[in-house]
Amino acid sequence: AQSVTQLGSHVSVSEGALVLLRCNYSSSVPPYLFWYVQYPNQGLQLLLKYTSAATLVKGINGFEAEFKKSETSFHLTKPSAHMSDAAEYFCAVSDSGGGADGLTFGKGTHLIIQP
Amino acid sequence: GAGVSQSPSNKVTEKGKDVELRCDPISGHTALYWYRQRLGQGLEFLIYFQGNSAPDKSGLPSDRFSAERTGESVSTLTIQRTQQEDSAVYLCASSLRMNQPQHFGDGTRLSIL
């Protein structure tokens, strides 16, 4: 069984500031980890994924995430926030790469960018 | 189209009515998934198809929910005798095959009056 915890349902940062969205997971096997973004009135879009090739994963739009096994974490970061980053972000875990058991999602973090 | 297409985008219906939600996956994607996103809650996995087979239906919330898929194309999620608790956004995703990243549609927003 797996689960995902996203700390903070809302995160507010100033434009140009560091973005840090936290995700902790539990999994009985080495996990596949994902971050998805959902812009207003749109579907989910894959930001990045971790599949054990490298612990630091670079995604689209300048985002990256680091897999830390000892902390069971997969936090999402971006050095400098842009107004267009305002969206809902979901962390997800799968034991099978998102196949037979689908994905287990966190409850999401709403990112607010202040001008 | 290039992405996963879901219809309708919005559906409002009365309690007790049946509804059918449709998903057109990306062409060539063999795997298809249904999720539910209720207000204030996380995404909930419902069911997946490999081809037209759904090996595990235990994620469906109740026996009022059913899903079908025609070959490796369109899938429908049917909810019978809808209840207010069924109000949610229903998301469909597809992937080239199992264990590949999922691509999501824009969802169907279902409101039960």
Side-chain angles (χ1 to χ4, degrees):
Chain A
Q2 61 243 20
S3 66
V4 176
T5 301
Q6 289 184 242
L7 293 176
S9 59
H10 290 77
V11 170
S12 180
V13 302
S14 298
E15 189 174 17
L18 171 72
V19 175
L20 171 61
L21 305 183
R22 299 178 186 274
C23 172
N24 289 88
Y25 70 92
S26 68
S27 176
S28 56
V29 299
Y32 294 81
L33 293 159
F34 306 79
W35 274 100
Y36 282 88
V37 60
Q38 187 174 26
Y39 297 104
N41 301 315
Q42 296 185 29
L44 289 166
Q45 180 181 1
L46 180 66
L47 266 181
L48 50 80
K49 63 171 180 171
Y50 166 76
T51 57
S52 79
T55 57
L56 182 63
V57 182
K58 294 188 182 297
I60 62 172
N61 301 338
F63 284 92
E64 61 183 34
E66 185 173 10
F67 171 68
K68 291 187 177 180
K69 184 179 179 180
S70 62
E71 299 178 8
T72 59
S73 69
F74 191 57
H75 301 331
L76 181 71
T77 61
K78 181 174 180 177
S80 178
H82 192 275
M83 295 299 291
S84 61
D85 295 327
E88 191 85 14
Y89 291 80
F90 292 91
C91 181
V93 65
S94 170
D95 286 348
S96 63
D101 58 352
L103 294 169
T104 298
F105 286 85
K107 291 190 175 183
T109 297
H110 187 68
L111 178 62
I112 300 164
I113 310 298
Q114 309 239 0
Chain B
V4 177
S5 177
Q6 291 187 245
S7 61
S9 56
N10 285 281
K11 177 72 176 179
V12 181
T13 192
E14 294 178 347
K15 177 182 173 181
K17 299 287 189 182
D18 297 351
V19 295
E20 190 174 276
L21 312 180
R22 176 188 171 103
C23 173
D24 275 286
I26 293 172
S27 179
H29 280 197
T30 62
L32 184 147
Y33 312 80
W34 283 98
Y35 297 86
R36 179 170 70 174
Q37 185 178 15
R38 289 194 280 190
L39 189 64
Q41 299 187 29
L43 282 158
E44 178 185 3
F45 172 64
L46 299 180
I47 192 170
Y48 96 98
F49 287 87
Q50 178 58 45
N52 62 3
S53 173
D56 182 3
K57 299 182 180 180
S58 63
L60 294 174
S62 75
D63 59 8
R64 297 185 294 103
F65 285 71
S66 62
E68 293 184 343
R69 187 180 185 194
T70 306
E72 293 185 349
S73 60
V74 172
S75 175
T76 55
L77 178 69
T78 302
I79 309 173
Q80 296 178 307
R81 306 181 303 281
T82 53
Q83 302 293 313
Q84 287 187 332
E85 70 222 33
D86 299 332
S87 295
V89 175
Y90 289 82
L91 286 161
C92 176
S94 71
S95 61
L96 188 60
R97 50 186 176 273
M98 283 174 56
N99 304 324
Q100 295 295 308
Q102 297 174 32
H103 300 265
F104 285 78
D106 287 343
T108 293
R109 185 175 299 277
L110 177 63
S111 300
I112 310 299
L113 302 178

